[in-house]
Amino acid sequence: MRIVVRHRTVYNYDHAIRYSTQYLRLTPRNNPSQRVIRWNVEGQGRLSPWTDGFGNLCHTLVCDEIVNQISVSANGIVETTELNGVLPDDGILPIKVFLRPTQLTQIDSEIRDFVVPYVETARSNPLDAAHELSQALTERIVYTEGSSHVHSTASDALKNGRGVCQDMAHVFIACARELGMPARYVSGYLYTGDEATPQVASHAWAAVWIEGLGWVSFDLANKTCGTERHIGLAVGLDYASSAPLRGVREGGSESERMDVQVMVTQA
Amino acid sequence: MQRRLFDEMTSPDGSARPAYRHISDWLKWSTLDRLRQRSTEAEVLFRRLGITFIVYGDDGGTERLIPFDVIPRVFSADEWKRLSDGSIQRVRALNMFLHDLYHDRNVMRAGIIPEDVILANAQYQPQMQGFTVPGGIYTHIAGIDIVRVSENEFYVLEDNLRSPSGVAYMLENRQVMMRLFPELFSEMRIAPVDHYPDVLLRTLRGVAPGGAQDPTVVLLTPGAYNSAYYEHAFLADEMGIELVEGADLFVADNAVFMRTTEGPRRVDVIYRRIDDDFIDPLAFRHDSSLGVPGLLSVYRSGRVTIANAMGTGVADDKSIYPYVPALVRFYLGEEPLLANVPTYLLREKDDLAYTLEHLDELVVKEVHGSGGYGMLVGPASTAAQIEIFRHKILANPSNYIAQPTLALSTCPTLVEQGIAPRHVDLRPYVLSGEETVVMPGGLTRVALVEGSLVVNSSQGGGTKDTWILEE
């Protein structure tokens, strides 16, 4: 399937900012399920490309002019192949790195209690356990826009029973790791089929490592595994290490308004 | 199993060992009053220099002077050669280990260290994967803590590979000693240490990104509230480089710049004294205001060198320590010149059982602890203290290691009762750049309380000047 992505982020500030730096993880990599036909990242300021420790294709965007607005855009075309959400490992990092807890995926007693029913299955049939876990979590956590923020943790989402795709991925990752299954965060895009309404955010899901099979994607927010409608942008231990945009600025006071528009269409 | 304590000055027959002959005579001819007077003068000098140490959790004035003992510690040239060769060997192997860890991981494939031990370590830094640092040097400045138990037995207690502190004491102790006892320096041939800042600067310039002519080096400090701030300011001053905080640096055009009154100036090498977690808020802790946003990207692009490298902490963790002799053999194909203290890993069932039965003989430490906190010194503890610690261990065995209580060597020390033997350790500093060198000296720490084996300055330890005799 050939998918066209137009992703634009605009930051507006009431007071002018003097300097801002951002890490952009806005460039998809080629892998067996996706091939980049054309891709272009632009931003206000100067872009320097680099590759992070996870192998993600990143840019550093520095804007040192006095501005009230900064915009970043990523546009391109990706050819995807239906692999039922299964990808081989890229061989960059040891897979067991993806067992380590992070601040956003900290294990607490609630998570520990929640995974108890899956401990047995996780040992005998990890893939089944992952499916059961995914099912249980989609029942437990209701997709609710605006119910969380970028620093919300897995534990917050499980307690509140509400969250967005990022939170659902975090809870799934925390639970999988607690069950001894390496799990990683994937940020990306989803072709929903609705070509008329722009999406207000990029997408995110989780992938769990199943020995002998590969990284199996679970998109809890859409109650599905990975499909040819998914395009991966970056992988990491959690949102913090794979966020499409992460920045700091000087000036601009407290108020920042971020407008995101993601158009995902079929070519 | 009462072992005779090894005193570095006096042999069991009462005679002075060769390296100490001169000092022994000098002590005989010096009156206690005169030594005490010199000691007071030393304190005045240190106060004037402003060299203080911040003790965390101390209710009183948190800044205080570390006690200084005016009787120097002496090593012969032969003794020193062994310590310095052994330290260099260890640091070379650890640098190769770090390179391997963040590249092909041959050490794990060969089964030398279990993968879990490394990957579970919070100091293992995935962001260092696949990136080659200049010269393959990760730990440019290392401090190797060494203890002695007999004439020929030295043990490495721990490796400090992140940002070892204390070198300012080595330098200032020497300056003070030269002022107090100039006659000793003319009578004895003592290797100088005062060129340390020059060697450090040369080391740092030597690892600048390729092509940098006349590289600019800065020292990045977390600021005046850090316990080692004095040392940061002192070293920057001695090297003649800028002492900067995160806010003084910024990233642009894939390079790091320093704000100066004449405009931005490109920075090639950052001698950082802040932890990995705080060094780049875009990559690590987002709430850190101490670091430089964007630094990781410039670093990974090979356009700035950070010393010590990010992610070195994984190699000096107490859980990795037991494997260091094996690392020396694996990477260098050599036998280690300096031994490790035998170590029981309490995550192993047999080691745990043995330790629980011998708590009164062993030293038990937290795997990630430092500064002498959170440890049990069995022979110096009451039965009640041991029981409390037993529960702590049982609650989380893998958080602890245990070692036999070493009979640390003693050195003559000026205390209230007169001159008496007190236990000491040693931290030599190893600098790695285009070449690897050890300063002929180091920081000797001394446990001032009679019988105490805890030399940490946060726990009542003092320091001594360390003299290496030239041949």
Side-chain angles (χ1 to χ4, degrees):
Chain A
M1 173 172 200
R2 200 166 264 222
I3 300 173
V4 181
V5 176
R6 275 167 292 179
H7 178 187
R8 184 173 156 83
T9 306
V10 181
Y11 299 94
N12 290 291
Y13 306 99
D14 292 346
H15 297 91
I17 62 161
R18 296 182 297 274
Y19 175 88
S20 84
T21 322
Q22 301 192 55
Y23 282 170
L24 312 178
R25 289 180 173 85
L26 283 172
T27 310
R29 268 186 279 176
N30 286 332
N31 66 39
S33 78
Q34 65 186 40
R35 194 164 56 87
V36 179
I37 308 291
R38 192 161 60 74
W39 199 266
N40 185 32
V41 176
E42 282 171 37
Q44 200 160 339
R46 299 190 301 286
L47 283 170
S48 310
W50 61 290
T51 305
D52 73 10
F54 293 89
N56 297 313
L57 306 176
C58 312
H59 288 89
T60 298
L61 175 66
V62 174
C63 178
D64 53 9
E65 292 157 51
I66 295 173
V67 293
N68 279 77
Q69 192 188 66
I70 288 186
S71 63
V72 178
S73 64
N75 299 298
I77 303 172
V78 177
E79 176 84 43
T80 61
T81 307
E82 180 62 62
L83 292 177
N84 302 310
V86 181
L87 277 177
D89 187 52
D90 51 30
I92 294 173
L93 282 161
I95 285 162
K96 283 185 174 174
V97 165
F98 294 95
L99 281 171
R100 61 166 47 193
T102 64
Q103 209 184 348
L104 296 175
T105 58
Q106 209 59 255
I107 314 286
D108 64 1
S109 58
E110 228 153 318
I111 289 173
R112 226 168 268 130
D113 292 345
F114 189 82
V115 302
V116 167
Y118 315 102
V119 171
E120 277 304 310
T121 325
R123 264 189 225 121
S124 56
N125 190 335
L127 185 59
D128 282 358
H131 277 288
E132 285 172 24
L133 183 64
S134 161
Q135 173 74 27
L137 283 172
T138 51
E139 283 162 19
R140 167 80 178 249
I141 299 169
V142 183
Y143 185 94
T144 317
E145 262 170 37
S147 61
S148 63
H149 51 84
V150 291
H151 303 307
S152 296
T153 65
S155 158
D156 293 339
L158 192 62
K159 272 193 206 94
N160 300 338
R162 294 185 303 158
V164 296
C165 54
Q166 171 186 327
D167 306 298
M168 298 172 108
H170 279 155
V171 183
F172 180 80
I173 288 167
C175 291
R177 288 179 187 156
E178 176 62 13
L179 288 168
M181 302 191 281
R184 66 187 192 184
Y185 188 96
V186 189
S187 67
Y189 301 107
L190 175 68
Y191 174 66
T192 59
D194 176 358
E195 302 206 351
T197 325
Q199 300 169 31
V200 295
S202 57
H203 194 41
W205 56 94
V208 58
W209 177 255
I210 304 294
E211 204 57 54
L213 190 60
W215 288 106
V216 183
S217 299
F218 287 87
D219 178 355
L220 273 66
N222 293 291
K223 300 186 173 64
T224 173
C225 274
T227 66
E228 63 174 340
R229 294 179 292 116
H230 287 82
I231 297 173
L233 267 181
V235 298
L237 292 172
D238 57 12
Y239 169 78
S241 53
S242 49
L245 298 97
R246 189 171 163 182
V248 294
R249 63 173 198 275
E250 284 170 27
S253 76
E254 287 306 299
S255 66
E256 168 186 288
R257 239 181 23 259
M258 188 178 80
D259 296 314
V260 183
Q261 213 180 56
V262 184
M263 295 288 288
V264 184
T265 52
Q266 219 176 327
Chain B
M1 197 191 71
Q2 194 59 34
R3 244 182 105 168
R4 192 180 196 109
L5 290 177
F6 179 82
D7 188 79
E8 297 193 359
M9 181 170 82
T10 312
S11 313
D13 67 6
S15 65
R17 297 181 197 278
Y20 270 91
R21 262 180 211 139
H22 199 93
I23 292 298
S24 170
D25 286 345
W26 170 70
L27 286 175
K28 275 179 203 143
W29 289 102
S30 308
T31 63
L32 269 184
D33 281 350
R34 188 175 141 75
L35 286 174
R36 288 199 205 287
Q37 192 197 330
R38 288 284 182 262
S39 190
T40 310
E41 286 170 28
E43 203 180 314
V44 171
L45 286 172
F46 280 117
R47 284 212 188 279
R48 199 176 297 157
L49 290 165
I51 186 164
T52 56
F53 177 83
I54 297 173
V55 180
Y56 294 112
D58 192 335
D59 290 337
T62 49
E63 277 194 46
R64 63 161 208 232
L65 221 49
I66 297 188
F68 173 71
D69 184 58
V70 294
I71 305 173
R73 180 188 198 180
V74 189
F75 286 105
S76 70
D78 283 348
E79 287 169 336
W80 181 251
K81 181 164 177 15
R82 190 167 151 211
L83 293 181
S84 94
D85 288 354
S87 301
I88 288 175
Q89 180 192 50
R90 211 167 156 101
V91 169
R92 280 176 56 215
L94 287 166
N95 272 315
M96 292 171 79
F97 168 59
L98 283 160
H99 176 86
D100 183 25
L101 203 55
Y102 293 123
H103 290 81
D104 300 334
R105 300 186 289 279
N106 292 321
V107 70
M108 295 192 229
R109 291 182 222 279
I112 309 290
I113 299 188
E115 199 181 26
D116 295 353
V117 171
I118 292 168
L119 301 183
N121 190 316
Q123 294 295 323
Y124 169 81
Q125 181 47 263
Q127 286 299 0
M128 286 300 288
Q129 178 63 40
F131 156 56
T132 302
V133 297
I137 307 291
Y138 287 76
T139 180
H140 308 81
I141 300 106
I144 309 297
D145 290 350
I146 298 174
V147 296
R148 181 178 204 176
V149 300
S150 75
E151 177 96 51
N152 289 310
E153 272 178 282
F154 293 89
Y155 290 105
V156 174
L157 218 47
E158 66 181 17
D159 308 289
N160 297 278
L161 309 178
R162 300 174 213 189
S163 63
S165 58
V167 82
Y169 295 104
M170 172 183 89
L171 297 168
E172 303 241 326
N173 288 355
R174 179 60 56 85
Q175 280 187 20
V176 167
M177 287 299 279
M178 290 176 84
R179 288 188 54 180
L180 296 178
F181 307 107
E183 70 282 6
L184 288 176
F185 286 87
S186 56
E187 290 156 10
M188 299 172 71
R189 295 194 56 203
I190 301 154
V193 291
D194 56 358
H195 57 306
Y196 177 83
D198 300 337
V199 181
L200 176 58
L201 184 57
R202 199 190 318 143
T203 300
L204 294 168
R205 290 169 63 103
V207 292
Q213 304 287 325
D214 193 20
T216 297
V217 182
V218 298
L219 194 157
L220 175 61
T221 174
Y225 296 107
N226 185 267
S227 66
Y229 181 72
Y230 172 82
E231 180 164 294
H232 306 162
F234 173 85
L235 287 173
D237 191 42
E238 291 282 314
M239 287 191 278
I241 65 172
E242 294 297 326
L243 177 69
V244 299
E245 296 185 23
D248 299 322
L249 301 178
F250 67 95
V251 163
D253 298 320
N254 203 17
V256 178
F257 294 89
M258 160 170 54
R259 300 174 214 270
T260 75
T261 46
E262 291 106 56
R265 180 166 162 207
R266 172 93 187 263
V267 170
D268 302 288
V269 181
I270 300 174
Y271 175 28
R272 55 90 174 230
R273 298 291 297 257
I274 74 175
D275 292 344
D276 285 3
D277 271 357
F278 296 93
I279 207 162
D280 178 353
L282 292 184
F284 309 112
R285 282 183 62 156
H286 67 87
D287 54 351
S288 167
S289 54
L290 303 174
V292 186
L295 184 56
L296 177 70
S297 67
V298 183
Y299 187 41
R300 281 193 63 97
S301 306
R303 307 251 303 155
V304 69
T305 300
I306 296 174
N308 291 347
M310 295 184 198
T312 54
V314 65
D316 73 4
D317 193 85
K318 289 187 181 73
S319 64
I320 299 293
Y321 164 86
Y323 300 96
V324 176
L327 296 178
V328 170
R329 293 185 195 100
F330 183 71
Y331 291 110
L332 303 174
E334 299 170 5
E335 272 308 298
L337 299 171
L338 286 172
N340 258 21
V341 182
T343 302
Y344 303 99
L345 305 172
L346 304 199
R347 61 187 162 80
E348 309 279 348
K349 228 174 85 195
D350 293 350
D351 286 12
L352 176 63
Y354 177 87
T355 301
L356 291 174
E357 274 171 38
H358 297 86
L359 280 179
D360 55 339
E361 299 165 17
L362 299 169
V363 177
V364 187
K365 298 175 182 174
E366 282 182 17
V367 171
H368 306 291
S370 70
Y373 292 106
M375 63 189 269
L376 174 82
V377 181
S381 302
T382 64
Q385 285 168 330
I386 289 178
E387 282 321 297
I388 291 171
F389 216 86
R390 183 189 304 278
H391 284 103
K392 284 170 72 174
I393 295 172
L394 285 169
N396 187 7
S398 59
N399 193 35
Y400 296 92
I401 59 164
Q403 296 171 333
T405 314
L406 296 177
L408 302 194
S409 60
T410 56
C411 284
T413 304
L414 182 65
V415 293
E416 231 166 87
Q417 303 87 329
I419 296 171
R422 289 291 182 269
H423 296 290
V424 290
D425 80 348
L426 174 70
R427 175 179 292 180
Y429 293 90
V430 184
L431 298 177
S432 306
E434 285 168 331
E435 49 180 355
T436 303
V437 294
V438 184
M439 277 300 107
L443 179 66
T444 288
R445 297 186 298 179
V446 54
L448 295 170
V449 178
E450 187 174 3
S452 169
L453 295 168
V454 183
V455 296
N456 302 79
S457 43
S458 50
Q459 312 261 303
T463 71
K464 281 170 169 289
D465 195 10
T466 312
W467 291 3
I468 312 304
L469 299 183
E470 293 186 313
E471 295 202 42

